[in-house]
Amino acid sequence: MRRWPPRPPVAARRRAAAAAPADELVVQHNRSLNALLRDGRYNAARRLFDALPARSVVTWNSFLAALARGHDVRAARDFFDAMPVRDAVSWNTLLAAYSGSPHPDHVAAARRLFDEMPQRDVVSWNTLLGLHARRGLMDEAQKLFDEMPQRNSTSWNTMVTGFFTAGQVKKALDLFDAMPVKDSASLSTLVSGFIKNGQLHEADLLLTKRLRVMNMDKAVDAYNTLIAAYGQAGRVTDARRLFDMIPKVQCQHNMLKRRVFERNVISWNSMMMCYIKAGDVCSARTLFDDMPVKDLFSWNTMISGYTQMSDMKEAERLFWEIPYPDPVSWNLIIQGFIQKGEANHARGFFDMMPERVTISWNTMISGYEKNGDYVSTVKLFSEMLQVGEVPDRHTFSSVLAACASLPMLRLGAQIHQLVEKSFVPDTAISNALITMYARCGTLNDAEAIFKHMHTQKDLVSWNALIGGYEHHGCATKALQLFKDMRRAKVRPTHITFVSLLSACVSAGLVSEGWMVFNTMVHEYGIVARVEHYAALVNLIGRNGQLDDALEVINSMPMAPDRYVWGSFLGACMAKKNAILAQMAAKELSKINPDSSAPYALCKLAVTQSKKLGDEFDAINDLVTYWEEMEQSENKRGEGEKGLPLLCSGEEKRATSKIMRGDDARSLTFELVSRYFYMPITQAARELNVGLTLLKKRCRQLGIPRWPHRKMKSLQALIDNVQALQEASKTNGEEQLRMLVETLQQERKLLEQKPCVELEEKTKRLRQACFKASYKKRRLLAPEAGEASASPSR
């Protein structure tokens, strides 16, 4: 049975409201207005304010205070000017809005408003005094302080804080000594001022020797502040000494119980934080076990200490002992497992959370991204949107980083649109978008975002676009952007020069690479790191300057690591220098003796060098024989033998000598075909053969034209692979799909080096293309008559 009377009908409530006094209605409306303003529903509060039949000065002050808290000083001023009646609260509220604004013109506006006030109380004087003190205008603040008709402890503490902020420690101490009444807030102000100026010893002397603070009820706050400062400075011993000086409980003197400051939970938590920051989790745990009263911050502090030490077993055990864990507790345990690389275990805790906030989703999403599980990052982001959780800037940054690593351009573009609809992109979001677009290959979009940033560009913005150019081999654009960066007077870092040197390596720009390296060392004074030397060695070595690259390695101020020697070994292998390659392989084996890769590379380098020497001996013998044949060409009769012919791999001979007559077939087809897919000028240079002589002898050896041109003609036969694939998917034709696979296999065979049976492969490719084209015409023919038509090709 209901124990309360039923609500009266609507009509009865309206009659009662009409009969109620007007003052009670205004009070009720003010309560409703304040409730809307506390919830942040400003639009609804404005509609209610406009609809009110009667308003009091409290109503106007409530909305004015909301505008002042929102830092909208112009709107607050307009609203203040529209007020029909004002009291002291109205003037002080607008003065506080000017005081909290960072705009430089609002100091003078606040002074004019102060002069216009019909009456000033101590709050008005303190507000204007705090405005000048926070901005470092201590001369004006001193004048105001001297003119004050009445001062309270806030006035004195404001001046002391202002002098400490301005670095005028002596004036602050003199003013503190002149204070008529000192309380715990004054003591905390003085200790905080000493700490801000780096004078921890003076703060310690103040608390331990100069003052008698036994009767201060909250003097423990000053002790807690100095303990935390000692922890930030790493002085754990001093922090513990100060902690032990605080009495544990109130004491009695002469049979009377005196009000004495004592340790509170903040004292214990501050000391625990000192131990945890120093990495002494055992001492922190001992202190935690001795605490008489623990709050939730105590539990979270201890769990954070275990997570920092990656002791997740103890952290998890402690977590389940918390009476009522909050979202911070859950996030700490999730973050601990993520840092340890156990994303699945972290996801288990995430799924068990009774209530998830945005930071919980961000912790799990960023955890997946940092552990390289980009697919799970995107999936969890989709779940976040499905449950109606609103992502913030940190969420978008993590998801954009995952899109850049996958890469997923379409999803990244959708997130870009969602960001623009949600809020104005800040510098971090814009940098993430530049990285995403650059890695996904759309450099135009990355450049557009970079240009639209204007004054929001920071060092990360420049590095992101330079890294994008380097990733796609646009070395010229990267160097040009570096010039723009220097003109903008943005100081680069070692990351900038790593990207620039890598871009020069991709493009083979040796002189530009040297210029970048010298600029880094001599102009900006950046000490070259191992990655810079590795890129420089790779750049010089692959240009053929192996001796210079070795000289760079020997001049390094630090010991070369495996990346440096690996770059040098790769350059030696590319230039077929077996001696230096063997030396680099041995150095690699010294750095990592457990790896067998350096020994294998060393053996491969020696084998290739020996084989290359035999091949060049054969080529030199062949060239010598060709020159002799040219000289005796006019004297040769019809019965004389021609030049040596190329033979297939089965007819390869072990000897490298050139023999006349029927045995003149020692130069294999594999040897010469190695150079078929490069321009003929480059092939002539590699073979050390004259260009005209090479063309002439290729015709005499049965090669109708240079084979790399034949590859261009063959390209026309395989251009329809994509069309055939679409036709097979559309019609579901299994036979056509098999023909497409055959065609792709033939294409791969043609692209292999060396090409041993070029003509036979060409024939098979033509047949496969003919069958596939014929089948495609039959499947795609709109009429039955066209199905039997012969293909055009």
Side-chain angles (χ1 to χ4, degrees), residues 61-77:
N61 288 339
S62 299
F63 208 89
L64 179 64
L67 294 175
R69 287 193 300 269
H71 305 289
D72 193 352
V73 182
R74 179 176 298 179
R77 179 69 197 199

Side-chain angles (χ1 to χ4, degrees), residues 101-108 135:
S101 174
H103 199 280
D105 296 338
H106 287 170
V107 178
R135 293 178 180 251

Side-chain angles (χ1 to χ4, degrees), residues 714-766:
L714 292 176
Q715 186 66 37
L717 297 176
I718 59 180
D719 283 340
N720 57 352
V721 173
Q722 184 176 1
L724 294 177
Q725 289 176 339
E726 295 177 356
S728 63
K729 293 178 182 178
T730 304
N731 299 276
E733 183 64 29
E734 183 66 25
Q735 184 178 2
L736 182 59
R737 187 159 52 249
M738 293 176 62
L739 290 174
V740 171
E741 292 177 357
T742 304
L743 188 63
Q744 290 177 337
Q745 291 177 1
E746 295 296 333
R747 180 181 180 181
K748 291 180 180 179
L749 289 175
L750 279 173
E751 293 175 350
Q752 292 178 357
K753 298 179 183 180
C755 180
V756 182
E757 300 173 351
L758 184 61
E759 294 297 335
E760 184 179 354
K761 294 177 187 288
T762 304
K763 183 179 179 181
R764 292 205 306 269
L765 179 62
R766 291 178 186 275

